[in-house]
Amino acid sequence: MMERRRMGAALLVLFLGNLANALEVPLDLPQPPTITHQSPKDYIIDPRENIIIHCEAKGKPHPSFSWTRNGTHFDIDHEPKVTMRPHSGTLVVDISAEKAESYEGVYQCTARNEHGTAVSNNIVIRQSRSPLWSKERNEPIVVQEGVSLVLQCRPPAGLPPPIIFWMDNNFQRLPQSSRVSQALNGDLYFSNILKEDSRNDYICYARFPHTQTIQQKQPITVRVLNLDAINETMAAFYNDTDLFSEAPKDERKPTFLIPSGPSSSKMVLRGQVLELECIAEGLPTPEISWSKVSGDFPAKRTSFLHYQKTLHIVNVSESDAGEYRCTARNWLGSVHHTIRVTVKASPYWIGGPPRNLVLAPRETGVLTCRANGTPKPTITWTMNGIPIENSPKDPSRKVEDDTVIFTEVQSGSSAVYQCNVSNEYGYLLSNAFVNVLSEPPRVLTPSDRVYQVIRNNRALMDCSSFGSPIPKITWFKDTTLNGDPYIQHDNGTLEIHVAQAHNSGKYTCVARNSLGTYENHVYLEVKEPTRILKQPEYKVVRRGRSVVFECKVKHDPSLIPTMTWLKDNGELPDDERFIVDSDSLTITDVIENDEGVYTCIMNTSLDHDSASAELTVVERPDPPTDLELTDQRERSVQLTWTPGDEHNSPIQKFLIQYEDSLHHRGHWHNLTEVRGTKTTAHLKLSPYVHYTFRVLASNAVGFSQPSFPSRMFKTNPAAPDENPTGVDGYGTEHDNLVISWKPMSGLQSNGPGLQYKVMWRQKEVDKEWTSVTVANVSKFVVSGTPTFVPYELKVQALNTYGVGPEPAIAHGHSGEDLPVAAPDNVQVLVLNSTLAEVHWEPVPPKSVRGRLKGYKVYYWRERSLHKHNPHHMEKQILTFSGNHSHGMLPGLHPFSIYSLNVRVYNGKGEGPPSPSQQFETPEGVPSVPSFLRITNPNLDSLTLEWGHPHDRNGRLAGYTLRYQSVNSSNELGPVKELALPANATAVTLPNLKYSTRYKFYLSAKTDRGAGPAISEEAVTIMDEALMPQFEVDVGTGNTQPSHPIARSPPLNPHHKVRPATPAFGNVSSSWAEDGALISWEYWGPERNVYVEYVVKNSEGEDEEEWQKEYVNGSQNLMLKGLKEGLSYRVRVVAKGHSDQTLHHSEELVVMVPAMASRQVDIATQGWFIGLMCAIALLILILLIICFIQRNKGGKYPVKEKEDAHTDPEFQPMKDDDCTFGEYR
């Protein structure tokens, strides 16, 4: 029961202690010293620089400092070369006139004030050393090839130890491999030595890092000899060399050079680096492998160095102890070595060093010094630097091994406690104070601090506080914050694991203990994340062009974004070709060095987003190089080359060209193409050519520049391999034969002296060939041949070295002549009024006297059968192929007489015509009537007049008239039809409806039927007896009083019908300040009504265009902008659905009055008239004076001015009219 209570009390004390340890005492409150900075325990100094031993501490009041050296007080006042920095314990030792080694020793710093004493670690000061290499003479080493060899370095011991490396006389590192490598001790090991290892500059260097000095050993000479060379030179080297005269070294299985024996052991300290090494000799060179007998290697901490010869494990832990096996193996066998590794540990903290303890009077706390090590360390406590057993007794303090327990502490019991943990491998020393305070709470976090966080991220708001007793922290935002999504940490920090926009706002943290309460406010702003909406894309661009990477970003508007572009994770080149805009990067005139990965980074003060894209720069490939000709034969050669740089676009093909400097110098011809993966081509060649080759490479961008030409390759002449092509025979006259061919090129000639042997014979008549040999021509004319007979032809090539192969036979004909016969038995069959069919008998083939091409039918219209139609004589021609004996004649005119004849034609021309034949075409339907107009409109009748069709195409049988009414909605009424005689040209339709639109269709007809119709529209007039009389007197424009009297019908029965229907009445005008007001009455159905007006001109003047104002449903309109003092003609117009004028009113003349002037007419004022008269008189006098001066030759005032200012731009007075020129 007692044990449980003690355990519970200990847990409570530990809990309270942990809470107390989280507090940081503000520096304005009393507190014991705390060491904040000190030099390392093992302090190696540079003897060339002043010694600085650091010791900094804080406390209230500020602590004072003292030092011990080698366990005794170090009196700084008696050391003139040693000073202590103000307000610090740091020592500065001036060694300008002293040796640094005189200040070596163990130093310890003490910081004390009235509340306690803190001490530093024991700082061991040692001077770095880089001793010189001992003088020695290295004898040359002569070894047999294949044996193993070790070159020892053995550098002088330094502090710290030097870094070893092997170099030659040129300060170049010696190459190392699995055969040759440097051991951890610096020696150079050869598993087997080769002849090429002979050299006289094997030099071991030692670099001492603290003093940055490098020293070298004397060079070592190694001579590697085989057995024969050893026997020959043994006498010469015996007296002055170390000779290894072992038996010849053959292949052998591995043995270890280091370590020796089958097993060894290694001790390493926890946290340090474990390095195990195995170097073996053998021939062939052995391979090294590693394994752990009792487990696996720690993957993240293990590496293999020096060609697998060194096992390297960092940050060693106890789990790394065990047996490690290295194996050396070649094809002759293997050998093993086991290394037993033990891990020791200098003391290390468990859970960290003891922490400061702040307690209120009568509170309970605990200091814990938890540490471990191998072997297990001992723990001792001191208070204010004095062993705790020798310090003043304190009933509230109890020491239990690694723990000091404080119970109901009293004011004034503050002190600094030191915990020292040590074993044979090292020690740990830590200071922790106990500060007894009574202090109300305070919040150390600045008030009104604004925390900004990105949405969906973690938000942390600090409430760092201090007080004794320890304050309790409570957070508020409108209400107390407890539970999800809020987490309150022991140090007072409030966490929102996933912050959202609604979490923004004001937060209050309250610190409370028994002595008071403190309140602090902070603010949280949750921002929208920065996101790249459009990422840059992979680009492939040709060199010299431009490329644009886009990077469009969305961010919180309250944050200031910064766009940064990187190239290959580095800064962009400082080049004006790189243009950075707000959302893009443009690179102009791209070069190959611009290739890489481009990253856009959008940074704000809270977050960032990035995206990358790669740029590949492509270009046409570089030209191939190193053209070589091999495997040279009579008719072939092999060409090889080296491809140029592809520029990131694979080569697709190579084009091989040649120049023939013998026949066509300066011109390159395509010879062949090969795949882009090939670098050789077997070329077939022609004789008698001086070849020079070049190669072009092609990729997706284009062709490269040509390579440099190859050397010339000449082929020997030979007889032709081929004959001319395109052999043809034809005649230009009726008694000749022209034999032509395509001439052969110099490349085809195969040798000098190219000629052509031309051969011909009449087919199926001659058996022997007639031949002639010609040169430098491409045709030959044979005269005196029969007309158009077949010939067989051959053309053979020959040169100085022989004739070509037997040529193929071509066929041709001699010249043609005009046909001598006309087609017989020509007949015509009329199919209808516009189509006829003609037939003929083919002429005999012999009469054609050439190649039959066809027949031509000439036909023409003699006249129409109707007396009213004109006479026609235009000939037309239809052509038919030679295998035809009939054809169609389309497009004939009906009711007409036609004539025709037929002729045969060949390549030379037409033969004689056949006798002419006549035929008649029957009647057809007539064309449309020539016109249709509507006259003599009345209330219920209309008169229609028309003209006969231009093309009657037969005898007219009459006319058909159809008509129907059209209402205001453009709907058509029933159709009425009327038959009219052929001689009629007018008709009057009675019993029509007044004020109604009608549509008429008129067509002519023959016995074959009716032709197309002509249409027209018209409207009957309104019943004028029911209409009031217009107010306007037609023609005069005078306005008359309106009287409701009936008007007589029009006297002229032949005036043209009004084309539109609405009727207007009571058209009048009145004048107002704004303009002329036009009014009217309208009874028609149309809604498109306009007022048109134009200036009334005097007779003889050109008429202006009518101006138009649209009326929107009303029956009056104000005309504005009319000019004063002018007369205007005005009318009202209604338009139909097709925008044609259906009706307009009578014209109305409107006078625009001139406005009375409000200003006095200056021309009527007496003073103005008098002034004008005076000016005229002065001008007259001036002219008289000018005239007199001119006659006398004297100078007048203006002339004097001219003489005084000889300005070349001044224009003199004119002599002829005595007027003044321009004076400038």
Side-chain angles (χ1 to χ4, degrees):
M1 189 67 178
M2 286 296 293
E3 290 296 329
R4 291 182 180 176
R5 289 180 180 175
R6 289 177 183 173
M7 187 177 296
L11 291 174
L12 177 61
V13 169
L14 181 61
F15 174 73
L16 293 175
N18 287 338
L19 288 179
N21 290 337
L23 299 177
E24 183 72 19
V25 181
L27 277 177
D28 61 340
L29 296 178
Q31 55 186 292
T34 300
I35 293 180
T36 57
H37 179 55
Q38 57 183 315
S39 293
K41 295 178 182 179
D42 193 5
Y43 189 13
I44 300 176
I45 62 173
D46 189 336
R48 299 167 298 180
E49 297 178 355
N50 289 340
I51 304 172
I52 300 176
I53 311 175
H54 293 281
C55 182
E56 305 289 344
K58 66 177 182 177
K60 184 69 173 180
H62 191 71
S64 61
F65 297 89
S66 62
W67 286 85
T68 63
R69 178 184 177 188
N70 297 329
T72 61
H73 177 66
F74 185 51
D75 191 351
I76 299 173
D77 295 334
H78 292 80
E79 297 287 342
K81 296 296 184 179
V82 181
T83 59
M84 184 183 294
R85 289 176 178 173
H87 311 292
S88 168
T90 298
L91 298 181
V92 179
V93 182
D94 182 7
I95 61 170
S96 58
E98 298 283 344
K99 291 185 177 180
E101 60 185 14
S102 61
Y103 290 96
E104 291 182 332
V106 180
Y107 291 79
Q108 188 173 39
C109 173
T110 300
R112 60 170 53 88
N113 65 10
E114 61 188 59
H115 301 293
T117 300
V119 296
S120 71
N121 292 322
N122 288 329
I123 303 171
V124 179
I125 303 295
R126 293 188 294 169
Q127 174 188 334
S128 64
R129 289 175 173 82
S130 51
L132 297 177
W133 225 302
S134 60
K135 294 294 183 178
E136 59 180 3
R137 182 174 180 270
N138 294 324
E139 298 294 339
I141 301 174
V142 179
V143 294
Q144 179 184 343
E145 185 177 11
V147 303
S148 62
L149 178 64
V150 179
L151 300 183
Q152 295 180 341
C153 181
R154 296 179 181 176
L159 185 68
I163 299 172
I164 306 300
F165 50 93
W166 289 79
M167 302 178 76
D168 59 17
N169 280 329
N170 297 319
F171 297 100
Q172 300 296 318
R173 286 186 178 269
L174 295 176
Q176 298 190 23
S177 63
S178 59
R179 185 179 64 85
V180 182
S181 61
Q182 178 181 315
L184 295 177
N185 64 0
D187 294 343
L188 189 63
Y189 282 78
F190 295 79
S191 294
N192 51 77
I193 198 159
L194 302 178
K195 182 70 174 176
E196 56 264 26
D197 294 326
S198 296
R199 61 190 309 154
N200 58 4
D201 58 351
Y202 285 96
I203 305 174
C204 181
Y205 287 85
R207 183 169 64 86
F208 297 90
H210 227 73
T211 58
Q212 295 298 318
T213 59
I214 298 178
Q215 298 185 33
Q216 74 175 62
K217 189 176 182 175
Q218 290 298 316
I220 301 174
T221 299
V222 175
R223 296 178 184 147
V224 182
L225 302 175
N226 55 32
L227 185 59
D228 294 337
I230 290 176
N231 293 332
E232 292 174 2
T233 59
M234 182 179 295
F237 289 102
Y238 184 80
N239 294 325
D240 58 353
T241 61
D242 293 331
L243 181 61
F244 294 84
S245 55
E246 300 178 7
K249 291 296 181 182
D250 297 324
E251 292 184 343
R252 61 193 180 278
K253 70 176 186 177
T255 59
F256 281 111
L257 297 175
I258 56 171
S260 60
S263 64
S264 60
S265 62
K266 175 85 171 180
M267 190 278 290
V268 64
L269 291 179
R270 178 183 182 272
Q272 293 185 351
V273 176
L274 171 63
E275 286 186 312
L276 303 180
E277 183 177 46
C278 283
I279 300 178
E281 66 90 19
L283 190 65
T285 302
E287 294 181 356
I288 306 297
S289 61
W290 291 88
S291 63
K292 187 176 182 183
V293 177
S294 55
D296 297 326
F297 297 119
K300 295 183 179 180
R301 297 186 288 114
T302 304
S303 58
F304 299 95
L305 308 177
H306 306 141
Y307 305 94
Q308 298 289 109
K309 298 176 184 179
T310 303
L311 172 64
H312 189 88
I313 300 177
V314 299
N315 193 20
V316 170
S317 65
E318 288 82 353
S319 62
D320 295 325
E323 291 186 352
Y324 293 81
R325 175 178 293 175
C326 65
T327 301
R329 178 182 290 106
N330 66 14
W331 70 274
L332 294 173
S334 63
V335 63
H336 306 282
H337 184 90
T338 301
I339 305 174
R340 184 175 295 101
V341 175
T342 58
V343 178
K344 302 293 184 180
S346 61
Y348 57 90
W349 298 115
I350 299 176
R355 289 175 286 186
N356 295 332
L357 186 60
V358 179
L359 299 174
R362 305 189 66 78
E363 276 194 327
T364 299
V366 63
L367 287 179
T368 304
C369 184
R370 297 284 177 86
N372 199 358
T374 306
K376 184 174 178 62
T378 60
I379 298 175
T380 60
W381 287 93
T382 59
M383 184 185 81
N384 295 330
I386 302 173
I388 199 166
E389 58 270 15
N390 298 333
S391 62
K393 300 298 182 181
D394 185 352
S396 65
R397 180 183 67 223
K398 183 180 180 181
V399 179
E400 293 185 356
D401 296 330
D402 60 358
T403 303
V404 180
I405 301 173
F406 300 92
T407 307
E408 294 187 357
V409 297
Q410 302 298 320
S411 299
S413 58
S414 299
V416 182
Y417 291 83
Q418 290 82 32
C419 172
N420 190 311
V421 185
S422 62
N423 66 9
E424 60 185 285
Y425 300 110
Y427 75 94
L428 295 173
L429 176 65
S430 178
N431 293 278
F433 66 64
V434 176
N435 196 9
V436 181
L437 286 175
S438 293
E439 185 68 23
R442 66 172 75 176
V443 176
L444 305 179
T445 302
S447 61
D448 298 325
R449 171 177 285 184
V450 178
Y451 293 90
Q452 294 181 330
V453 68
I454 297 297
R455 179 169 56 84
N456 293 328
N457 284 7
R458 184 174 68 164
L460 295 173
M461 290 173 282
D462 294 333
C463 187
S464 177
S465 63
F466 179 79
S468 184
I470 300 171
K472 179 183 179 183
I473 303 299
T474 307
W475 282 90
F476 297 91
K477 184 179 186 275
D478 301 330
T479 60
T480 303
L481 302 179
N482 289 317
D484 191 57
Y486 301 101
I487 302 172
Q488 184 170 326
H489 295 276
D490 293 339
N491 63 357
T493 298
L494 180 67
E495 176 184 348
I496 304 175
H497 188 62
V498 181
Q500 300 297 329
H502 66 267
N503 295 131
S504 299
K506 177 181 178 182
Y507 289 79
T508 302
C509 77
V510 177
R512 182 182 292 107
N513 68 7
S514 59
L515 300 179
T517 301
Y518 193 96
E519 190 175 281
N520 191 45
H521 304 291
V522 296
Y523 296 86
L524 176 64
E525 296 178 355
V526 180
K527 307 292 186 179
E528 288 299 313
T530 301
R531 292 290 179 266
I532 294 178
L533 301 180
K534 185 173 184 180
Q535 299 183 357
E537 298 176 348
Y538 172 70
K539 299 284 187 178
V540 177
V541 65
R542 186 175 175 182
R543 185 174 59 193
R545 299 188 178 178
S546 298
V547 64
V548 178
F549 288 107
E550 290 186 300
C551 187
K552 298 186 182 297
V553 182
K554 178 183 179 183
H555 61 88
D556 192 285
S558 65
L559 299 178
I560 300 176
T562 302
M563 175 71 78
T564 303
W565 285 89
L566 303 178
K567 179 182 183 292
D568 297 328
N569 294 324
E571 293 184 355
L572 289 180
D574 185 12
D575 193 330
E576 61 183 8
R577 297 181 302 106
F578 289 77
I579 303 171
V580 178
D581 292 326
S582 59
D583 56 1
S584 66
L585 168 64
T586 302
I587 308 174
T588 61
D589 193 19
V590 170
I591 60 177
E592 289 185 353
N593 288 339
D594 296 335
E595 280 189 344
V597 177
Y598 289 83
T599 304
C600 70
I601 303 175
M602 177 60 76
N603 289 294
T604 66
S605 56
L606 297 181
D607 69 340
H608 73 278
D609 196 9
S610 63
S612 300
E614 186 176 358
L615 172 63
T616 299
V617 180
V618 297
E619 185 51 274
R620 294 183 299 176
D622 288 345
T625 58
D626 303 329
L627 272 65
E628 291 186 5
L629 298 177
T630 59
D631 192 19
Q632 301 175 10
R633 301 186 181 183
E634 189 72 19
R635 295 286 187 100
S636 67
V637 70
Q638 184 163 288
L639 175 66
T640 60
W641 62 89
T642 301
D645 193 338
E646 294 181 340
H647 295 295
N648 295 320
S649 180
I651 295 177
Q652 298 171 345
K653 63 180 179 181
F654 291 99
L655 172 64
I656 301 173
Q657 297 180 329
Y658 72 93
E659 177 195 26
D660 180 5
S661 57
L662 179 63
H663 301 103
H664 211 187
R665 180 183 296 274
H667 293 270
W668 290 89
H669 308 275
N670 294 341
L671 180 59
T672 186
E673 292 181 355
V674 297
R675 295 192 307 272
T677 56
K678 298 184 66 176
T679 59
T680 182
H682 190 76
L683 306 178
K684 294 182 179 180
L685 308 179
S686 297
Y688 194 54
V689 178
H690 293 179
Y691 282 101
T692 304
F693 301 100
R694 70 182 186 184
V695 183
L696 293 83
S698 173
N699 61 9
V701 181
F703 275 100
S704 70
Q705 291 295 319
S707 67
F708 287 112
S710 69
R711 62 180 175 85
M712 183 180 294
F713 181 70
K714 299 179 180 180
T715 54
N716 296 323
D721 293 327
E722 55 183 312
N723 292 308
T725 59
V727 178
D728 190 18
Y730 58 90
T732 56
E733 300 293 338
H734 66 88
D735 58 352
N736 73 1
L737 171 66
V738 178
I739 305 173
S740 65
W741 60 90
K742 183 179 179 181
M744 295 172 63
S745 66
L747 183 67
Q748 295 171 310
S749 66
N750 285 9
L754 176 65
Q755 293 180 315
Y756 303 102
K757 182 179 180 181
V758 184
M759 297 170 279
W760 68 94
R761 69 182 179 186
Q762 187 173 344
K763 188 176 182 180
E764 298 178 355
V765 175
D766 298 335
K767 292 185 178 180
E768 300 297 327
W769 292 87
T770 304
S771 66
V772 63
T773 301
V774 296
N776 301 321
V777 295
S778 60
K779 64 181 178 179
F780 178 76
V781 180
V782 180
S783 302
T785 63
T787 301
F788 198 69
V789 295
Y791 278 86
E792 293 180 331
L793 315 169
K794 291 193 298 184
V795 180
Q796 187 178 32
L798 64 154
N799 62 18
T800 307
Y801 290 83
V803 298
E806 179 65 25
I809 296 177
H811 299 275
H813 283 78
S814 58
E816 299 178 273
D817 205 347
L818 294 176
V820 295
D824 291 333
N825 198 19
V826 177
Q827 297 180 359
V828 179
L829 175 63
V830 178
L831 301 179
N832 56 43
S833 61
T834 61
L835 180 65
E837 185 177 11
V838 59
H839 291 259
W840 64 88
E841 288 185 1
V843 297
K846 289 186 177 181
S847 67
V848 177
R849 298 204 297 178
R851 184 171 286 104
L852 175 63
K853 288 192 173 182
Y855 296 89
K856 293 183 180 180
V857 177
Y858 286 76
Y859 65 101
W860 60 96
R861 188 184 183 193
E862 295 282 0
R863 62 183 178 84
S864 172
L865 292 175
H866 195 281
K867 62 180 179 179
H868 298 289
N869 283 48
H871 188 68
H872 295 279
M873 287 296 292
E874 297 175 2
K875 286 188 177 182
Q876 292 176 282
I877 303 174
L878 287 179
T879 301
F880 301 92
S881 60
N883 59 354
H884 279 68
S885 60
H886 68 278
M888 296 292 182
L889 305 181
L892 304 177
H893 287 276
F895 208 53
S896 301
I897 295 176
Y898 278 87
S899 295
L900 65 79
N901 60 51
V902 183
R903 310 177 191 189
V904 65
Y905 72 100
N906 60 16
K908 189 72 172 180
E910 298 177 3
S914 66
S916 295
Q917 300 288 330
Q918 277 196 347
F919 63 92
E920 295 182 4
T921 55
E923 289 185 309
V925 297
S927 64
V928 67
S930 57
F931 70 88
L932 172 64
R933 57 173 173 260
I934 301 167
T935 63
N936 202 18
N938 284 299
L939 293 177
D940 59 353
S941 65
L942 290 170
T943 298
L944 278 68
E945 297 178 353
W946 62 88
H948 294 299
H950 288 296
D951 294 321
R952 301 193 180 191
N953 295 334
R955 297 179 180 83
L956 285 181
Y959 293 90
T960 300
L961 175 65
R962 295 180 295 116
Y963 61 96
Q964 58 190 142
S965 61
V966 183
N967 62 17
S968 59
S969 301
N970 294 324
E971 295 176 349
L972 300 175
V975 177
K976 296 183 179 180
E977 187 172 314
L978 183 64
L980 302 172
N983 59 352
T985 58
V987 66
T988 299
L989 300 179
N991 302 321
L992 303 178
K993 294 182 180 179
Y994 69 88
S995 189
T996 300
R997 190 189 332 155
Y998 284 90
K999 191 163 188 178
F1000 301 93
Y1001 312 90
L1002 180 68
S1003 60
K1005 61 182 178 180
T1006 64
D1007 291 341
R1008 292 298 303 270
I1014 186 173
S1015 64
E1016 186 60 83
E1017 291 187 20
V1019 181
T1020 55
I1021 66 174
M1022 295 189 62
D1023 189 352
E1024 297 182 357
L1026 302 177
M1027 296 171 52
Q1029 186 179 6
F1030 291 172
E1031 290 187 349
V1032 181
D1033 188 5
V1034 177
T1036 64
N1038 297 327
T1039 303
Q1040 303 293 338
S1042 177
H1043 300 284
I1045 61 174
R1047 295 175 59 91
S1048 60
L1051 298 177
N1052 184 4
H1054 298 290
H1055 69 273
K1056 191 173 181 180
V1057 67
R1058 300 175 186 177
T1061 180
F1064 294 94
N1066 293 337
V1067 181
S1068 62
S1069 68
S1070 60
W1071 184 257
E1073 291 186 1
D1074 296 337
L1077 178 64
I1078 310 300
S1079 303
W1080 65 88
E1081 292 182 1
Y1082 172 58
W1083 297 277
E1086 305 298 333
R1087 292 295 178 262
N1088 296 329
V1089 179
Y1090 299 85
V1091 173
E1092 297 180 341
Y1093 61 96
V1094 67
V1095 176
K1096 183 180 180 183
N1097 297 331
S1098 58
E1099 294 184 2
E1101 294 185 7
D1102 293 335
E1103 191 73 37
E1104 296 182 4
E1105 292 186 1
W1106 287 82
Q1107 305 295 316
K1108 183 166 58 176
E1109 296 286 343
Y1110 177 70
V1111 179
N1112 189 13
S1114 64
Q1115 296 194 9
N1116 56 70
L1117 179 70
M1118 179 68 72
L1119 291 180
K1120 299 180 180 181
L1122 303 181
K1123 297 182 180 180
E1124 300 176 3
L1126 296 181
S1127 297
Y1128 287 85
R1129 297 162 55 196
V1130 181
R1131 65 187 180 190
V1132 187
V1133 176
K1135 294 196 174 184
H1137 66 285
S1138 59
D1139 202 34
Q1140 59 179 349
T1141 301
L1142 297 180
H1143 193 77
H1144 61 79
S1145 70
E1146 303 294 344
E1147 292 184 7
L1148 174 70
V1149 178
V1150 176
M1151 292 288 296
V1152 180
M1155 301 299 294
S1157 175
R1158 298 182 181 181
Q1159 296 181 355
V1160 178
D1161 189 355
I1162 192 171
T1164 62
Q1165 301 300 308
W1167 64 269
F1168 180 78
I1169 297 174
L1171 178 62
M1172 294 296 103
C1173 292
I1175 292 173
L1177 181 60
L1178 288 175
I1179 293 174
L1180 180 60
I1181 294 172
L1182 184 61
L1183 291 174
I1184 294 172
I1185 293 172
C1186 173
F1187 182 77
I1188 294 172
Q1189 291 290 340
R1190 176 177 177 275
N1191 290 337
K1192 290 182 178 182
K1195 292 185 178 180
Y1196 46 87
V1198 176
K1199 179 67 175 176
E1200 293 174 356
K1201 189 173 182 179
E1202 292 175 288
D1203 295 340
H1205 302 80
T1206 58
D1207 188 346
E1209 293 185 349
F1210 179 75
Q1211 303 296 323
M1213 182 180 69
K1214 301 178 183 178
D1215 292 338
D1216 55 345
D1217 58 359
C1218 197
T1219 58
F1220 289 94
E1222 179 184 1
Y1223 191 91
R1224 298 182 182 179

